[in-house]
Amino acid sequence: MNKLKRVLSGTLALALAASMMTACGNDDSSAGGSNSGTQGGGKDESGKTVVKVYTFTDETQGMLDGFLEDNPEFAEKYTFDITLEATASTYQQKTMSALASDDAPDLFLADADYAKKFAALEQTASLADLGITIKDEEYYSYVLDFTTIKGQRMALSHQAAPGVVLYRRDYAEEVLGSGDPAEVQKHMDTWDHFVETAEAMKEKGYYMIAGIDELKRCFMNNRSSAWVNEDTMEYQLDKETVSQFLEVTKKLADEGCTSDVTPVQWNANWYKGMKDGVFCFFGCSWYLHYTIKPNCLAEVSTGKVDPKTGSQEADEKDYKEGNGSFGKWGIIAGPAPYFWGGTWWYGSKKCLEDGTKDAVKQVIEYFCVNDDSLLKVMQKKGDFTSKPAVNEKLTADPESSTYKFLAGQDWYTIFREAAPNIDTKTTCLYDDEFNTAVDNALTNYITNGMSLDDAIAGIATEVKSNLKDVKFPE
Amino acid sequence: MASSFKTRAKLEKNHFGYIFIAPFFITYFIFQLVPLIDTFRFAMTDAVAWYLKPNQDISFKGFENFKDVLADPNFRDAFGNTPLMWIMGFIPQIGLALLLASWFTNEKIRVKGQGFFKVIFYMPNIMTATTIGMLFYTFINRNGFIHNFCVSIGYIKDPRYPISSPTFGRSVIAFINFWMWYGQTMIVLIAGIMGINPSFFEAASIDGASGWQTFWKITMPLVRPIMTYSLVTSLIGGFQMFDVPNMFATGSNNSAFSHQITTIVMYIKRVGSTGSMSVSSACAASVYLFIATGICSLVLFWLMSDRAEAKAKRLEKKRAKEAALLEGGDL
């Protein structure tokens, strides 16, 4: 009996230990979520070569499906394995750690906030490595400059995202006397005029903008220098523009021209303002299609409404006049040129070795280099491309919901005029971090009663903690 | 012969004991101790996150990171915020837990539906901290009922403005921690009180002690070890506070008082995983956290240990020894 007990307990202990070991060993297969488990360059069940794709947007799936339909020969040889992660910080971390591992993606995408960071990674292959040749003059310079590291072009974007101002025609008519874009632009062409218009709006009971961060991108893109000098890694502050930004915003907030005295982008009151009560929003090309158009609707039939923020996804049939503020919007260039976002495509060094280089090259060329395919894709999406020549051919479709949303205005004209003015001299590797610090400076100055100088000095104090390679003045 | 066999059997049984506890120590060694030592090692280098620079040359920097981190006002603020918010939450937490525990164990009161109440009080602990953080965030943000209340009583003049008082922010965090953990502390204390020999209470009631006297003279001294346990575990958890305040201070939830509720772990995460991803500085900050937690725990142990009793025990031992010597002397 005693012996039996001993044997039993011994076996149990061993089983316990063994189960632990197997638990460790099995981890790899379960990680990665949607991945089929095949590495990039490997073969799937049907013998096709797997091209591993990491993306932050659900657009990519649809775009690549369209690509496969258009390229049947490619579809016979390759298949895409797409990993989607929509949260910006998680996506960055996930992609960077995947790139540094054996199971690296062959093709990956980035948003403007971290496009430069991704371009600077060791594992990113340059366009020259991929064998992609482009003519620089065919693109808006900002699209290329943005991801150029030490003279090497690292990525391409199919999109250009010139910043514009979207405004309510009905409010303009009531307050400014005319809802016509050319007339409204006259009331919004400088910051002084902008503030005057805001005060007029206030008198009639309308807010000029939603939160205190609405003007941020427009002002920040018009500084005289980037936050960090790329060569010397020194901190640079354009105090004049930053003070102007804080002061204009504080004036608007104090006078009751903002619906909220907090940063509200991507929050409930931002989306609420799109439905009613707020005169203008600072948006861009993709923002027009994906953010303001669905969120101006009072009701959507899809039932896809974020319970926390109220952000909604709409169905084509929801887009009709009378639903929220649909059809009451106009588009103008606004007080200053700027840009907001973009989608850049990268090949990894891994794809150079695992036999997917040609596939990656073909995909990037299809979306970002060849005029015909680019025109076809973007005309369908109603989006704005990175190549001026292609944009000349894009036409607003009078049947499209965006056309009706803008009460018949051709948005391409505004984008075509705005895009060449975009300048990337104000962008640096760490814009993500500085954007947060600027938000905090705004809050400190406007709601916490800090002095202007202290609030601006606080920007450097805040980012000093996590930007160890940047030199700050003593 | 028989006695020697018995000892052998006993020894072998102990052997099995070692095998049973071995998995814990192996896991502890691999997943806790080695990374712990690595933290000290990395804190002395200039390492950044491995995925930012997979082929980096790591060089030794000595105590430079420790100096930098200590000189960083953000770190010092975080180091002040964390214990402050912990204490603000822990005092009401242990107070209420003690009160409830003594009621639930009191034979005279015999609270009805004890199980029901215990479950209700423990409930907040089952929910994830993120959910609770989110819930409270919706209460205090621009459209929440607490914000609306502040507007209606005139504390906030213009409803477009957020609640920006740092004291308010810290109180919310402290309240959430209190609300999430008093149930857990209560259960632990109930177990402690149930472990007290009932004859003490019986004797006290026969002697005519009031409920108040029984609590202070019998319950309190005898649950002290359990109190120490709750205090120390809560202290460690408090220093590592992260999830709840993080819900109020980052991304689209950024509050006006974000800076005043930033904790040490939030600072560590920001330094190590954003911007230049300086893992080494994050490690140095972690070492400070480790040292602070260690010192505070030791102080607590020392404060809570029954020094009078220990002294009495030592005295008793000494007497017993002397007595034994005397006995031997007699023989």
Side-chain angles (χ1 to χ4, degrees):
Chain A
M1 192 61 198
N2 239 347
K3 203 176 173 189
L4 183 73
K5 260 189 202 163
R6 252 180 257 167
V7 172
L8 261 176
S9 48
T11 330
L12 268 174
L14 267 175
L16 209 85
S19 69
M20 257 172 50
M21 303 298 159
T22 42
C24 297
N26 273 344
D27 239 20
D28 278 349
S29 57
S30 59
S34 66
N35 296 351
S36 57
T38 321
Q39 283 195 8
K43 305 271 182 200
D44 73 347
E45 301 89 9
S46 53
K48 289 179 185 173
T49 309
V50 175
V51 179
K52 214 158 210 172
V53 184
Y54 271 49
T55 180
F56 62 93
T57 159
D58 48 9
E59 258 184 284
T60 314
Q61 178 82 53
M63 289 177 79
L64 289 176
D65 287 346
F67 169 78
L68 287 177
E69 255 171 53
D70 233 22
N71 296 277
E73 286 160 38
F74 184 97
E76 269 169 34
K77 263 171 85 181
Y78 299 104
T79 168
F80 293 114
D81 172 8
I82 302 172
T83 305
L84 171 69
E85 172 56 63
T87 314
S89 56
T90 322
Y91 175 70
Q92 288 178 55
Q93 217 156 351
K94 204 169 167 179
T95 310
M96 285 162 86
S97 52
L99 278 168
S101 75
D102 290 336
D103 197 16
D106 301 304
L107 180 68
F108 58 104
L109 291 89
D111 173 60
D113 280 348
Y114 44 92
K116 229 183 176 108
K117 199 185 280 177
F118 276 18
L121 287 176
E122 279 173 38
Q123 302 85 1
T124 307
S126 69
L127 294 183
D129 289 340
L130 294 168
I132 298 172
T133 44
I134 53 164
K135 291 191 185 104
D136 289 359
E137 65 277 8
E138 284 184 0
Y139 292 84
Y140 293 116
S141 58
Y142 106 89
V143 173
L144 297 178
D145 292 347
F146 206 69
T147 49
T148 299
I149 302 292
K150 291 178 187 134
Q152 290 262 41
R153 306 270 191 235
M154 304 304 285
L156 281 177
S157 170
H158 60 273
Q159 238 179 357
V164 291
V165 175
L166 291 136
Y167 71 95
R168 287 287 292 267
R169 283 168 188 265
D170 46 343
Y171 296 176
E173 205 147 305
E174 187 187 338
V175 178
L176 308 171
S178 165
D180 183 61
E183 280 302 309
V184 175
Q185 173 65 17
K186 280 182 201 158
H187 291 278
M188 310 265 272
D189 55 352
T190 63
W191 289 115
D192 287 338
H193 287 164
F194 189 84
V195 174
E196 277 168 27
T197 309
E199 285 159 354
M201 284 289 159
K202 172 70 200 158
E203 267 172 39
K204 296 278 178 181
Y206 303 124
Y207 293 118
M208 185 68 174
I209 51 175
I212 54 177
D213 52 350
E214 192 70 37
L215 312 175
K216 183 172 70 179
R217 285 174 195 272
C218 190
F219 268 108
M220 289 303 117
N221 272 186
N222 285 288
R223 282 171 297 137
S224 59
S225 59
W227 286 112
V228 177
N229 181 316
E230 226 164 273
D231 302 315
T232 59
M233 290 308 276
E234 271 168 359
Y235 170 72
Q236 308 175 124
L237 173 69
D238 174 2
K239 199 168 172 185
E240 204 184 317
T241 313
V242 177
S243 323
Q244 195 197 358
F245 166 51
L246 293 178
E247 276 171 342
V248 167
T249 308
K250 186 171 166 63
K251 194 166 191 308
L252 292 176
D254 286 351
E255 290 183 6
C257 302
T258 61
S259 73
D260 284 73
V261 190
T262 48
V264 293
Q265 270 184 6
W266 311 110
N267 275 350
N269 282 9
W270 197 49
Y271 293 118
K272 211 169 109 191
M274 293 174 190
K275 292 174 183 66
D276 218 10
V278 176
F279 175 60
C280 69
F281 285 89
F282 281 64
C284 60
S285 44
W286 54 264
Y287 176 96
L288 167 65
H289 298 289
Y290 302 110
T291 311
I292 198 162
K293 196 172 73 179
N295 282 301
C296 79
L297 304 173
E299 273 171 32
V300 288
S301 61
T302 54
K304 284 183 184 163
V305 181
D306 187 316
K308 184 186 148 202
T309 62
S311 142
Q312 48 197 26
E313 279 175 46
D315 193 74
E316 211 44 51
K317 67 171 183 283
D318 297 329
Y319 293 122
K320 52 177 182 270
E321 238 163 282
N323 190 355
S325 57
F326 187 82
K328 294 178 181 162
W329 292 84
I331 189 168
I332 53 170
Y338 71 104
F339 79 99
W340 186 0
T343 309
W344 278 265
W345 301 68
Y346 305 74
S348 70
K349 289 231 165 95
K350 171 102 191 308
C351 86
L352 301 177
E353 293 153 11
D354 67 7
T356 54
K357 182 181 143 185
D358 285 335
V360 171
K361 184 184 166 197
Q362 269 191 58
V363 173
I364 296 183
E365 283 182 341
Y366 179 87
F367 287 115
C368 311
V369 181
N370 298 339
D371 290 2
D372 295 341
S373 51
L374 183 58
L375 180 66
K376 194 174 147 194
V377 171
M378 300 301 257
Q379 178 72 52
K380 205 162 89 189
K381 288 160 69 81
D383 213 341
F384 192 68
T385 82
S386 51
K387 297 178 112 181
V390 178
N391 287 334
E392 290 299 326
K393 293 178 202 152
L394 285 169
T395 46
D397 175 7
E399 291 304 308
S400 73
S401 52
T402 310
Y403 192 78
K404 289 170 188 154
F405 170 77
L406 293 170
Q409 195 183 347
D410 173 13
W411 62 95
Y412 284 120
T413 322
I414 302 291
F415 289 151
R416 274 194 281 262
E417 282 162 12
N421 299 328
I422 302 172
D423 194 340
T424 51
K425 68 171 185 290
T426 59
T427 57
C428 74
L429 277 179
Y430 295 134
D431 284 340
D432 228 4
E433 280 71 30
F434 279 102
N435 278 339
T436 315
V438 169
D439 273 350
N440 290 341
L442 267 175
T443 305
N444 282 335
Y445 180 51
I446 297 174
T447 56
N448 293 354
M450 204 182 256
S451 76
L452 182 66
D453 284 339
D454 286 350
I456 294 175
I459 296 174
T461 317
E462 188 181 333
V463 295
K464 234 180 195 172
S465 303
N466 63 342
L467 303 185
K468 299 289 179 195
D469 50 355
V470 177
K471 294 184 204 90
F472 292 91
E474 288 303 312
Chain B
M1 185 64 206
S3 86
S4 87
F5 178 76
K6 246 186 194 165
T7 2
R8 246 192 69 203
K10 212 176 178 181
L11 268 179
E12 272 177 15
K13 266 187 196 153
N14 283 345
H15 240 70
F16 274 109
Y18 288 126
I19 294 172
F20 277 122
I21 59 170
F24 165 75
F25 282 97
I26 295 166
T27 358
Y28 175 77
F29 184 78
I30 298 172
F31 296 107
Q32 303 259 332
L33 195 62
V34 173
L36 183 72
I37 295 165
D38 265 356
T39 306
F40 284 87
R41 221 160 48 93
F42 277 123
M44 307 256 194
T45 66
D46 62 352
V48 298
W50 66 274
Y51 51 82
L52 185 66
K53 285 184 188 154
N55 305 314
Q56 57 186 311
D57 296 316
I58 297 172
S59 55
F60 184 76
K61 267 173 88 181
F63 286 93
E64 221 171 287
N65 288 326
F66 290 95
K67 256 188 264 166
D68 281 355
V69 167
L70 209 57
D72 185 348
N74 294 324
F75 176 73
R76 284 188 301 211
D77 289 348
F79 218 101
N81 296 338
T82 316
L84 180 65
M85 288 193 290
W86 171 68
I87 290 170
M88 281 167 74
F90 186 73
I91 291 173
Q93 176 190 326
I94 194 94
L96 186 65
L98 256 177
L99 185 72
L100 292 173
S102 60
W103 276 348
F104 281 152
T105 48
N106 196 322
E107 285 295 311
K108 279 187 208 153
I109 307 175
R110 285 180 195 259
V111 181
K112 281 196 185 105
Q114 271 201 34
F116 172 75
F117 284 116
K118 281 179 195 164
V119 169
I120 291 292
F121 295 153
Y122 194 78
M123 206 62 108
N125 206 286
I126 299 171
M127 284 185 265
T128 57
T130 324
T131 316
I132 291 175
M134 205 55 245
L135 177 76
F136 277 79
Y137 182 78
T138 53
F139 290 167
I140 67 153
N141 80 0
R142 203 23 195 94
N143 307 316
F145 82 88
I146 295 181
H147 181 270
N148 291 344
F149 177 73
C150 288
V151 173
S152 67
I153 60 165
Y155 176 67
I156 295 174
K157 302 274 180 310
D158 184 341
R160 299 177 306 127
Y161 282 80
I163 307 175
S164 59
S165 152
T167 317
F168 175 82
R170 286 173 179 150
S171 308
V172 170
I173 307 294
F175 177 79
I176 295 174
N177 280 324
F178 149 71
W179 182 64
M180 277 183 76
W181 290 97
Y182 78 93
Q184 153 86 15
T185 316
M186 179 192 77
I187 302 274
V188 171
L189 288 177
I190 287 177
I193 295 173
M194 305 264 264
I196 298 172
N197 190 339
S199 54
F200 288 124
F201 293 111
E202 219 172 291
S205 77
I206 290 167
D207 285 348
S210 66
W212 191 244
Q213 282 171 322
T214 321
F215 178 76
W216 283 107
K217 301 271 156 96
I218 296 176
T219 317
M220 275 304 269
L222 290 174
V223 290
R224 182 146 42 188
I226 298 289
M227 288 273 280
T228 314
Y229 165 80
S230 313
L231 203 59
V232 171
T233 47
S234 171
L235 172 98
I236 295 170
F239 264 109
Q240 295 176 354
M241 198 190 295
F242 170 74
D243 35 20
V244 174
N246 197 52
M247 287 304 295
F248 286 78
T250 48
S252 56
N253 283 3
N254 211 338
S255 310
F257 43 73
S258 288
H259 187 80
Q260 283 82 11
I261 56 166
T262 299
T263 65
I264 306 169
V265 179
M266 285 162 71
Y267 173 88
I268 292 172
K269 181 176 178 272
R270 190 162 87 89
V271 170
S273 70
T274 62
S276 58
M277 302 194 184
S278 173
V279 169
S280 46
S281 302
C283 283
S286 309
V287 170
Y288 279 124
L289 175 61
F290 176 78
I291 293 169
T293 318
I295 291 176
C296 290
S297 305
L298 284 179
V299 168
L300 274 184
F301 266 123
W302 184 74
L303 282 176
M304 297 293 289
S305 65
D306 196 336
R307 268 156 287 149
E309 197 179 298
K311 208 174 167 188
K313 256 189 193 157
R314 271 201 304 277
L315 216 70
E316 205 174 294
K317 249 188 192 165
K318 207 174 156 191
R319 286 215 185 104
K321 228 179 192 177
E322 279 169 0
L325 273 176
L326 276 176
E327 256 177 52
D330 268 356
L331 279 170

